[in-house]
Amino acid sequence: MSKSQQLTQLSKFLTEGMQAYAMKALQTIQSYKQTIKSWLNGHTVQSFVSLFLVGAFLSIAVASCSGSSSASKNDVKLKLVSFSVTKAAHDQIIPKFIEKWKQEHNQNVTFEQSYGGSGAQAAAVIAGSQEADIVHLALPLDVSKIQQAGLIKSGWETEAPRNGIVSKSVAAIVTREGNPKGINTWADLAKDGVKVIAANPKTSGIAIWEFLAFWGSVSLTGGDEATALDYVTKVYKNTPILTKDAREASNLFFQQNQGDVLINYENEVILAGKNGTKLPYVVPQVNISIDNPVAVVDKNVDKHGTRKVAQAFVDFLYSTEAQREFAKLQYRPVNPTVTQEVASQYQPIKTLFTSQDLGGWDIIQKKFFGDGAIFDKVKAASKA
C-alpha cells in the first residue's frame, strides 16, 4: 500500500471515529436532558449541544484537511531534455534545486534526464518520444521548432529572464600540440591539408553555431556573400566527417586522435583541459555569441501536472547559485552578479556578433539550413 493510500485510510478512520464519537455524545446528552434541565434552561442546552457539534465537526474538517495536505505532497518527477555538453552543469545544479524545493515545499523532486545533439533532441520532443517538461537546448531555433509544433506557447522568450537565454559561450579552435598546421584564425581552416573535425548542423546545435561563426567571420567583416560562400565551402571540404553532436566530435578528436583542428564550445575546451586533456586552443577575436535557451514545455507540464515545479526549476537556473555552477564549468553566465565575479577568467572578444546580426532565426533557418538552402549546397559542393 502506498503512503498516499495509507494517509487516505487514516483520514477516513479518523473521520468515521469522530462522527461516531459525536453521535454517542449527543445520545448521552439527550438521555440526561431532564437532569441537565434542572440546572440549565432549554436554550442553554441547545447552545451546548450546538457548540459541541461544531467543535466535533471542526475537528473532523481539520483531520480531513490534514490528510489532503499530506496527499498533495506526493513526490514529483520532472523530465529534462538538454543538449549533450550541459550534463556536467546540471549534475551540480539539480541536487541544489532538489534540496531547496524540499526545504520550502516538503516535497521530493526527482529528475529524468536526457542529453544529446540539440537538433535531434528537439525532434524527439516534437515526435513525443521525449516527453520533456523542460528543454535546455543549444540554440533558440530548436525551441522555436517545438513551439511551432504546438508544444510550447508563443512568447516563451518572455517567460524567463534574458529572453530565455540561460547559458552562453563562444566558439574556440582547438589544435594539436605545437599547432603544426599553424591554425590561428578562422581563415586558416580553409588551408589545403587541414583536417577539420565538426558536427552536422542537421542534428547538432554547435554545428549551427560554428557554421554561423564561419559565415559571419567573412560577411560581417567586409566580405560579400560570394566570398563567404567560397570560404565556407573550402572549410567543409576539409571536414571529412560530420558528427551528430559536440560530444561525439570531442571524442573523435581527443580520444581517437583524429583531425588537425576541432571547433567546439569554449567551455567544453576549457573543461577538457581541467580534466587532463589539455591542448592548445585559440578563441578568435571575431566570434559569435552562443546563446543557449531554456523553456517549459507547456503541453507536457499540463499533462503531467508539473508546471509549478518545472517553472521553479527554470527560474532557479538564473539564480546566483546556479549561474556560479555554470561559470565553474566555463560557461559565460547571464546573471550580472556572476558575470562580474568571473569576467577575468574569459578571453576578451574584439568583435562579438549575434544571431540577430545575421538576420534572426527565421531568416537563418530559411537561408542556411532549410532543405536545399546554403548548407545543403555547401555540403554537396564539398563532396564534389
Side-chain angles (χ1 to χ4, degrees), residues 296-329:
V296 169
V297 184
D298 295 291
K299 185 175 181 179
N300 291 342
V301 295
D302 289 341
K303 176 182 178 181
H304 303 156
T306 54
R307 177 176 291 278
K308 182 178 179 181
V309 66
Q311 187 60 58
F313 179 69
V314 168
D315 293 342
F316 182 73
L317 292 178
Y318 290 92
S319 69
T320 300
E321 187 176 13
Q323 288 287 304
R324 282 177 179 148
E325 294 300 329
F326 280 118
K328 287 177 185 176
L329 294 166

Side-chain angles (χ1 to χ4, degrees), residues 11-12 14-15 57-70:
S11 175
K12 182 179 179 182
L14 291 173
T15 301
F57 284 104
L58 278 175
S59 297
I60 292 166
V62 169
S64 299
C65 288
S66 176
S68 235
S69 174
S70 296

Side-chain angles (χ1 to χ4, degrees), residues 8 30 172:
T8 301
Q30 291 291 342

Side-chain angles (χ1 to χ4, degrees), residues 158-353:
T158 64
E159 295 298 317
R162 313 294 168 189
N163 292 320
I165 304 303
V166 74
S167 55
K168 288 177 176 281
S169 193
V170 294
I173 300 173
V174 186
T175 69
R176 294 298 176 187
E177 189 65 43
N179 193 9
K181 297 294 179 73
I183 301 163
N184 296 299
T185 68
W186 293 122
D188 294 332
L189 301 180
K191 289 180 179 178
D192 291 339
V194 172
K195 186 177 180 181
V196 179
I197 301 297
N200 189 338
K202 296 293 186 178
T203 59
S204 167
I206 181 60
I208 289 179
W209 288 116
E210 63 193 14
F211 182 96
L212 297 179
F214 298 157
W215 188 273
S217 72
V218 176
S219 67
L220 296 176
T221 58
D224 59 21
E225 293 210 342
T227 305
L229 180 61
D230 179 66
Y231 162 71
V232 170
T233 301
K234 288 179 180 177
V235 172
Y236 280 95
K237 280 185 177 179
N238 287 344
T239 309
I241 299 173
L242 292 174
T243 65
K244 71 178 188 300
D245 58 35
R247 181 68 69 198
E248 186 177 315
S250 293
N251 289 340
L252 203 63
F253 187 80
F254 293 124
Q255 306 300 325
Q256 299 183 38
N257 204 35
Q258 294 191 33
D260 302 306
V261 60
L262 170 73
I263 312 303
N264 212 332
Y265 299 111
E266 175 192 48
N267 57 284
E268 272 288 278
V269 175
I270 298 174
L271 184 60
K274 288 186 173 182
N275 291 333
T277 310
K278 191 170 185 179
L279 291 172
Y281 72 95
V282 60
V283 176
Q285 292 300 289
V286 176
N287 218 311
I288 188 165
S289 179
I290 297 175
D291 300 334
N292 313 136
V294 66
V296 169
V297 184
D298 295 291
K299 185 175 181 179
N300 291 342
V301 295
D302 289 341
K303 176 182 178 181
H304 303 156
T306 54
R307 177 176 291 278
K308 182 178 179 181
V309 66
Q311 187 60 58
F313 179 69
V314 168
D315 293 342
F316 182 73
L317 292 178
Y318 290 92
S319 69
T320 300
E321 187 176 13
Q323 288 287 304
R324 282 177 179 148
E325 294 300 329
F326 280 118
K328 287 177 185 176
L329 294 166
Q330 309 306 315
Y331 290 90
R332 297 190 176 215
V334 299
N335 181 298
T337 299
V338 183
T339 298
Q340 290 181 354
E341 290 174 356
V342 300
S344 62
Q345 74 185 39
Y346 301 104
Q347 294 187 30
I349 307 296
K350 183 178 179 180
T351 302
L352 185 67
F353 60 91

Side-chain angles (χ1 to χ4, degrees), residues 96-113:
K96 294 179 184 296
F97 173 76
I98 289 173
E99 181 181 5
K100 183 176 187 293
W101 187 264
K102 176 69 172 179
Q103 290 176 348
E104 294 178 354
H105 300 274
N106 192 30
Q107 186 178 44
N108 296 316
V109 182
T110 58
F111 280 77
E112 180 183 350
Q113 301 167 64

